[in-house]
């Protein structure tokens, strides 16, 4: 398996993976899967600050993971939300683990303090997976989304990436991480 950065050219395969979950589960609160063009824009927009990785084998994308802003206000800049999806039928094959093993250290290097996985429930498999990856249960917000004729809770799971201190440096964009490391060495 190869983990690499996504590009907008991956949008067709990624949108197909995601569409399965939108159309069949309440894991995403979207009612309609985004078009290939919309997904391409999501990838490009994410890559402006956060990493967006795909897992690929034999030129086939098996899953993807990315982070995005938790909220828009500046005071939230040290906190992000993660999203991960694996192609239907390939759950529990190590793909999600491999993706998170690439994403989480990248977020830490960016200077982020916390990553939240926000899960629509029921979603026991994702809860177990996130705990395995080091996330801990944080909170439940009842009846937050209505999909498939019923209300769904969301559960927050948190992973602390870096120590929280006063006088925090602002997080840096993923593509600037290596530039910062070079300056530190010089």
């Amino acid at each position: 398996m190869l983990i690499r950065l996504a590009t907008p050219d991956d949008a067709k395969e990624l949108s197909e993976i995601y569409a399965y979950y939108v159309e069949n589960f309440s894991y995403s609160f979207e009612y309609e899967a985004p078009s290939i063009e919309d997904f391409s824009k999501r990838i490009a927009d994410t890559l402006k600050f956060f990493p967006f990785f795909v897992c690929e084998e034999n030129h086939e994308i098996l899953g993807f993971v990315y982070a995005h802003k938790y909220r828009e206000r500046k005071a939230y800049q040290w906190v992000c939300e993660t999203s991960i999806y694996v192609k239907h039928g390939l759950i529990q094959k190590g793909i999600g683990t491999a993706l998170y093993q690439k994403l989480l250290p990248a977020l830490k290097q960016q200077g982020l303090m916390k990553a939240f996985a926000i899960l629509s429930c029921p979603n026991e498999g994702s809860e177990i997976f996130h705990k395995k990856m080091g996330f801990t249960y944080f909170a439940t917000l009842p009846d937050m989304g209505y999909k498939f004729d019923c209300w769904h809770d969301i559960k927050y799971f948190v992973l602390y990436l870096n120590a929280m201190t006063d006088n925090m440096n602002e997080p840096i964009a993923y593509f600037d991480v290596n530039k910062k490391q070079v300056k530190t060495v010089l």
Side-chain angles (χ1 to χ4, degrees):
M1 288 189 296
L2 168 71
I3 307 295
R4 64 166 175 80
L5 278 172
T7 72
D9 293 337
D10 296 320
K12 181 179 185 311
E13 286 182 85
L14 300 185
S15 65
E16 289 170 358
I17 291 169
Y18 184 62
Y20 174 79
Y21 292 96
V22 170
E23 294 164 2
N24 295 287
F25 299 96
S26 64
Y27 303 157
S28 165
F29 281 170
E30 291 192 76
Y31 276 36
E32 292 182 27
S35 68
I36 294 169
E37 294 77 22
D38 288 340
F39 214 96
S40 178
K41 183 176 178 348
R42 287 183 188 188
I43 295 167
D45 288 347
T46 298
L47 288 171
K48 290 175 184 173
F49 190 82
F50 291 100
F52 193 131
F53 295 113
V54 298
C55 178
E56 186 177 68
E57 190 170 63
N58 298 322
H59 306 289
E60 177 188 3
I61 295 177
L62 309 177
F64 62 92
V65 68
Y66 64 97
H68 52 93
K69 288 181 180 181
Y70 170 69
R71 302 262 178 151
E72 289 298 318
R73 304 287 188 264
K74 183 110 173 143
Y76 291 113
Q77 69 182 320
W78 292 274
V79 181
C80 67
E81 181 181 344
T82 63
S83 293
I84 185 166
Y85 290 90
V86 174
K87 195 174 222 178
H88 174 66
L90 298 179
I91 304 296
Q92 297 184 345
K93 306 255 187 238
I95 297 163
T97 300
L99 285 163
Y100 258 161
Q101 286 174 340
K102 186 74 171 180
L103 179 72
L104 299 175
L107 299 175
K108 184 175 182 160
Q109 288 181 315
Q110 284 184 261
L112 293 155
M113 300 298 117
K114 293 180 188 178
F116 278 107
I118 303 173
L119 311 179
S120 169
C121 297
N123 194 345
E124 185 180 4
S126 192
E127 289 184 45
I128 292 167
F129 170 73
H130 281 90
K131 287 177 186 175
K132 181 183 107 178
M133 296 307 303
F135 286 74
T136 56
Y137 170 77
F138 187 75
T140 297
L141 302 179
D143 301 327
M144 292 299 291
Y146 187 81
K147 186 172 180 182
F148 299 135
D149 299 323
C150 63
W151 286 97
H152 298 276
D153 299 348
I154 59 170
K155 289 186 180 179
Y156 278 69
F157 286 80
V158 64
L159 179 68
Y160 291 88
L161 300 164
N162 287 299
M164 300 173 75
T165 63
D166 294 334
N167 302 316
M168 300 293 301
N169 291 324
E170 290 191 9
I172 58 175
Y174 177 69
F175 286 106
D176 290 336
V177 168
N178 289 335
K179 293 177 194 173
K180 182 181 177 193
Q181 289 172 346
V182 169
K183 286 180 184 176
T184 304
V185 171
L186 296 175

